[in-house]
Amino acid sequence: MRWSIVIPVYNEADFLPQMLKSVTSQTTAFDLIIVDNGSTDGCIDKARAQLADYQGNVTYLQELRPGQVYALQTGIAAVETEFTAICDADTYYPPHYLSTATRLFDSKGVNYVAACAYLRREPFFAGLGSIVHRLLVARILPHQNHTSGAAQMFRTEALQAAGGYDPLLWPYVLKDHELMHRVLKLGRQIYHSRLWCATSDRRVDRRNVRWTLAERLTYHLTPRSRQHDFFYRFLANRFDARGQRDTVLRERNWVVA
């Protein structure tokens, strides 16, 4: 077994079944690690029932400290395979997702420590310009992150050597970018036109879970030698002042009370 998929879960009864259907349709075998981050909507019990006849290895973990960063830390610590895929409970992964990443890792060599998918939305051609732009930017700025944490895969040795997700180091949103900042000190990343996944668009209001345009531009314009200062002296202070800690991801602003 070369792959593990880690899924942090918090109250995902509406999305998790379809997501699990997509990952269990992969053409590549994997260990599945589901981390319950304090769910109260019965989604974990439903997942157990859905996966009861699944022939692959499934591990259920519980992490009661609130925050996706804690759930991911717990899940990654349990990985024993060569590669780790971080997946979100509201995202669709095509059957070739892991097999494509495997071929890319094997063809590029051990110096490539991360494979990153782009996020595809339907209709496909409507977002084609955005996809081309993202792949082009990834080529121009290879030392930066250009995708969601739901679309990141790693050589496990490099992921763990970099410290994985660390709530003491980065308890804020955009933790996928901060993690990649550390991982890419150990090697390079791969983007490819065939490596994609499709996330839901349920979070219409993203103001509490993202950076500003000025912060994003500063990120892209900051040289690699100053990325440390960008994250830990600049962005962390701004996120802290705005209350943009990782726990804001638990807010369900798409749910009608």
Side-chain angles (χ1 to χ4, degrees), residues 29-44:
F30 60 91
D31 291 338
L32 180 58
I33 301 173
I34 298 175
V35 187
D36 177 17
N37 197 209
S39 298
T40 58
D41 67 348
C43 63
I44 299 300

Side-chain angles (χ1 to χ4, degrees), residues 203-222:
R203 194 183 293 275
V204 177
D205 184 354
R206 302 189 62 83
R207 287 174 294 180
N208 291 333
V209 300
R210 67 182 305 171
W211 46 15
T212 66
L213 176 60
E215 289 164 350
R216 192 184 314 172
L217 290 173
T218 302
Y219 173 60
H220 290 318
L221 294 174
T222 299

Side-chain angles (χ1 to χ4, degrees), residues 103-120:
R103 287 194 296 271
L104 290 171
F105 273 125
D106 288 346
S107 65
K108 292 289 187 178
V110 295
N111 188 45
Y112 282 79
V113 295
C116 302
Y118 62 86
L119 301 180
R120 195 173 99 173

